[in-house]
Amino acid sequence: MGNRVAVLDSLFFNFDTPVTHQAIASLCLFDGLPDVLELRSRLRVLAENVPKLRQRIIGDMWVDDAEFNIANHFAVLCLPEISNREKLVEVASEKFSERLNLSRPLWSFTLISNVAERRGGREIVGMLFVIHHALADGLGGLELIEAIADDNFGAELDRGKRLESRNDGIKAAKLSARGLEAFKRNYIAELFREIAAKRPKSLLNGRNSPRRVIRVFDLPVEELRAIRRKVDVSFNDVLLGCVIDGIIRYHYKYGASVKGLRAVVPVNVRPQGDRLSLGNRIVALAIDLHLQCAVREERLRLINRRFVEKRDSKSLYAYLTLGELISILPRWLQRILCEWQARRTNFIFTNMPGWIKERRLCGAKILANYPVLALIKGHGAAFGFISHEEKLCACVVTDPNIVREPQLLASCVKEAVEELIKGRD
């Protein structure tokens, strides 16, 4: 028998439906084809060292899958029609739209290329590594790739125990007598403010479909860091400000206006030195974003204030406690409450630290790594950013049933970044 599923991991699993499948992914591009046999071998070794990669969820337990076979989780697609990066991303979109089989271990690894039929043309190679959010958060998934990278393979797996979840996820607040008094005194008002909040109207929200569309682009990270220093806000604030500006532009293209937005922003709560572990160690804060500032730099400062206010208002504690309370309810009621809570927000935004140094996987250099996010019910878009060497990899995931022009939305965000760098208002 395996370990009990942690509180937040369980919520992600129970929140999964045919139209809100809770998988996240890394979409990596390579400068050539990795050694396929070596890659398959490394994935097998990784699964041997990380028990949850061989387990599935039954009830509230992680249980070994007696029929585990690496062939069910590793695939190679050789498609001659892939003539450029955009075509590869389209294939990745189709693959990401497929819901993971919840009766098996919760991951898949697909190598996508045109190598078999390139006939002297340009070699296009990518990889889509999909994991269920119940298995790990974004940082946990990134560390799984690090563990099989050329420089780390073997050394990281020697510390395999650190790659396991310690069966605690986020340590949600325990309602002891003393803790209950503190909760009543300091946090109950904040909790009810979160519950009572309403979602502003936008073109990013509607009825979901199972389909997902991925759009990716690269940004100059140093120029964005210079803006962060100039305005004296966080790097997250700069990126979130660009996303908001892009969303406003998208609405204007349709002759619509947007007066406010409410963003879901995951916050990492892993202890220092505790990166190499699976499970979820995040708290998703809902940030109210009023868009009346005409000057972009002032908007960045306003975003910073909103985030600081939310952090200092003890919302982290309120969210942890809410998760603990929801987790003791029947699954059907968990899903209803999670979906009801999701209806209070417009989109998800996240930014993660990536790789500063070059990474190679089975002989191929990783040129880019794009974070592919899950959508929650009622959301039509999610925006993810991750640093990679000297650039920032950006990914916009949309539901085409809600966002009619995914490429337009991504282009609007990219244009917002470019104009911010140029200093235009």
Side-chain angles (χ1 to χ4, degrees), residues 361-409:
L361 183 61
C362 298
K365 180 181 177 180
I366 300 177
L367 300 175
N369 179 21
Y370 301 100
V372 187
L373 307 184
L375 298 181
I376 57 180
K377 188 172 184 179
H379 283 202
F383 305 85
F385 300 85
I386 188 169
S387 53
H388 183 82
E389 297 184 28
E390 299 301 321
K391 65 185 176 185
L392 189 71
C393 295
C395 179
V396 180
V397 179
T398 58
D399 182 332
N401 197 52
I402 300 173
V403 176
R404 288 181 285 176
E405 296 186 72
Q407 183 58 51
L408 175 61
L409 179 59

Side-chain angles (χ1 to χ4, degrees), residues 200 244 248 252 257-261 288-296 298-300 302-303 305-306:
I244 292 168
I248 293 173
Y252 284 171
S257 62
V258 55
K259 296 181 179 179
L261 291 167
D288 292 292
L289 303 164
H290 302 289
L291 311 176
Q292 304 308 312
C293 296
V295 180
R296 289 196 185 91
E298 285 303 313
R299 186 180 295 154
L300 298 183
L302 176 60
I303 292 170
R305 288 197 298 272
R306 295 293 184 198

Side-chain angles (χ1 to χ4, degrees), residues 6 15 46 75 85 102 108 172 215 222 227 273 293 339 358 370:
F15 196 30
L46 182 67
R85 186 175 79 167
L102 302 187
S108 70
R215 291 292 182 263
E222 283 306 320
I227 293 170
C293 296
E339 291 176 349
E358 175 184 306
Y370 301 100

Side-chain angles (χ1 to χ4, degrees), residues 192-210:
F192 275 105
R193 278 195 294 271
E194 291 298 325
I195 292 173
K198 294 182 179 180
R199 178 172 67 196
K201 292 183 179 180
S202 86
L203 298 178
L204 302 187
N205 304 108
R207 186 180 295 276
N208 292 100
S209 73

